[in-house]
Amino acid sequence: MSSTRTSPRRVKLRRAFHHIPRAIGLVSVGARVGAAAREPRLNQVLCQLGVLERDPATAKDAPLLEALPWGGKPVTAPAPRPPAGIDGMWPQGPICHADFYPSVLHLDPRERDDHLRYTALRYLGQIVSASPRAAWRARVRPRVRALDDAKFCELLTQTSLAQHLCSTLSEADRDAFASTMQGELADYAKIDFSGMRPDLALPGIELMPTVTLFHRQRDHRHRVVAIRLRDAVFTPRDGAAWALARYFVLQGAHVQHTVIVHPRLHFPSDVINAVSKSALPAGHLLARMLLPHTRFSLGLDLAVTHHRRSVLFNSQREVYTALPLTTEGICAAVTLGRVGMPGNHAYPTYDYWGVTHDERTRFGRYCQQWQDAFEDFTRGVCAQIPKGDPTVARWADAISEWVPGFPGGATIFRGDLLAQAIARYLTAVTVLHSGDHYSYAAIPIEYLPMRIRVPPPDEVRPASLDLDKLVSAEDHFRHQLCHRMFFAPTVIESLNEVRYRFRTPAARQAAQRFQTAQHQLDARWAGSGFPASYEIASSIQY
């Protein structure tokens, strides 16, 4: 997908407008009305208008949410155990769910204040400001758009969703698709959403595991060949059943992208964030390179994993929770992203180096070129750090204890490994994270139903497909709020605004080269549908 890139001036103007929902949120908190109230009157109005099917206050939360805070209080957790001589934020095991990623549960007050001021208030204000339009659209506008095979392929292979393409077909895949494949196996790829769990879907919601087969074209594009939905295989010749199967694939893309894969960018980086702030002296060259990319993240991620109102847990007591899974299903999906699925290359176990950029896709080339620019920058700076620096070795040892694959102090100085490790972190929290959101959020939600309410085509083969029945008004309303609050980019500080305050001429020259590289990449990828340096957040900020 391509688009006309927004100018830097318009981007800054848009950021200024983000203060409006923050102001509304502040008023809501002060008056204890709107989204700041436990049972907002707005929800009753939405029920009367037919937007909500029932008052969210009647929904029951999963037991694991009982221990989590609802309002502004921090989560209650045991103290972390940093190494001797370190007094500061430190990673520890999560308390929300034993199989989640390590967490940073005790934050410096400034981290919490940043989150409350810039993000939590925005959320509260957006619930109020965005609800009227979302309600109108849910009741009046089409909730699902028709699409053909070309648009289906474009959505899945020309956007950030292309990262889910997998070149390795399992034996089960080859057997299932044997009648639809011709020529070389290397010419085929799949998008595998077999991690979808129908048994963990919300009542009344359908969710199906799918595997989609694509044929790679010579122009780096793809042609969809077939879709396997459980044990049934559908092709374009299957009419309405094929059309419905495509929507189940796109629904799976939501869960895979936002709950299974995207957390790999957020939560392991929190370990590096906290350890860097607590273990590195403020004037150390490594700290000067890392710390500009750490603000706004820890408070955000703590609220995501350890707050009762988090969109992640999908409590139906909130109006912005749009995912198709129960809270238990969400936890299973996050865990799947961390531990993987044995025997399935589409679901690898998390590893720090596990993110690969497929240069046969536009998004893969975009990410790789940015990572190359970061590596050139970090090599120039790391060349000024003495080999065997004990501070860096302790820093690496501390991170490697919590992040699988991160090099420890004994190996971090081998070759360019230090520069590569830092570049991987910087790329993840800036380009990969913002690129994910920017491209994904640009897809109209009417193409991507998050909830489906008709039986899958392997159970009931439809003679025709009524798009109006796929998604309810409440489903679409929730999806709009969720998209506006959590998926659409909300940059507080951009990558091109970062200044590193290096003191050595060589490090300053590396930073200048990096700024030049940013301008070159912005020009190269203009109109691509992927963000420019002034649209990329300098850290994980949303």
Side-chain angles (χ1 to χ4, degrees), residues 468-505:
D468 290 338
K469 293 182 178 180
L470 258 66
V471 175
S472 73
E474 177 172 334
D475 296 336
H476 196 57
F477 174 77
R478 287 176 175 273
H479 193 170
Q480 290 179 74
L481 288 188
C482 183
H483 183 274
R484 182 81 171 269
M485 295 167 63
F486 306 105
F487 299 155
T490 308
V491 176
I492 303 171
E493 179 189 68
S494 61
L495 176 60
N496 75 327
E497 293 174 317
V498 172
R499 299 297 179 264
Y500 294 97
R501 299 182 181 179
F502 294 136
R503 293 180 177 178
T504 65

Side-chain angles (χ1 to χ4, degrees), residues 185-256:
L185 183 63
D187 293 335
Y188 289 88
K190 69 172 179 176
I191 286 185
D192 189 326
F193 298 146
S194 56
M196 302 306 107
R197 295 275 303 273
D199 58 312
L200 295 177
L202 289 167
I205 304 297
E206 302 287 351
L207 177 69
M208 291 294 127
T210 64
V211 180
T212 305
L213 182 68
F214 294 90
H215 186 268
R216 296 186 187 273
Q217 308 294 290
R218 292 183 179 180
D219 59 356
H220 292 296
R221 294 184 179 273
H222 296 75
R223 175 177 60 85
V224 62
V225 177
I227 296 171
R228 177 160 61 93
L229 199 156
R230 289 187 289 208
D231 295 326
V233 175
F234 299 91
T235 71
R237 294 189 298 272
D238 288 312
W242 169 254
L244 180 55
R246 288 188 310 219
Y247 286 112
F248 275 102
V249 173
L250 294 170
Q251 179 198 31
H254 270 299
V255 178
Q256 185 92 350

Side-chain angles (χ1 to χ4, degrees), residues 308-377:
R308 189 164 182 161
R309 302 189 74 183
S310 168
V311 67
L312 179 66
F313 292 120
N314 210 39
S315 166
Q316 296 306 288
R317 294 181 64 85
E318 309 297 342
V319 294
Y320 49 77
T321 48
L323 288 161
L325 292 165
T326 62
T327 299
E328 293 81 3
I330 294 291
C331 293
V334 173
T335 300
L336 178 60
R338 189 177 71 82
V339 304
M341 183 184 295
N344 190 330
H345 287 80
Y347 291 89
T349 301
Y350 171 78
D351 181 84
Y352 186 68
W353 304 101
V355 178
T356 57
H357 308 307
D358 186 350
E359 296 198 43
R360 290 169 293 187
T361 68
R362 292 169 63 251
F363 187 65
R365 293 192 296 277
Y366 168 82
C367 293
Q368 186 61 56
Q369 289 174 19
W370 269 102
Q371 184 163 307
D372 291 343
F374 269 109
E375 287 189 4
D376 180 71
F377 166 55

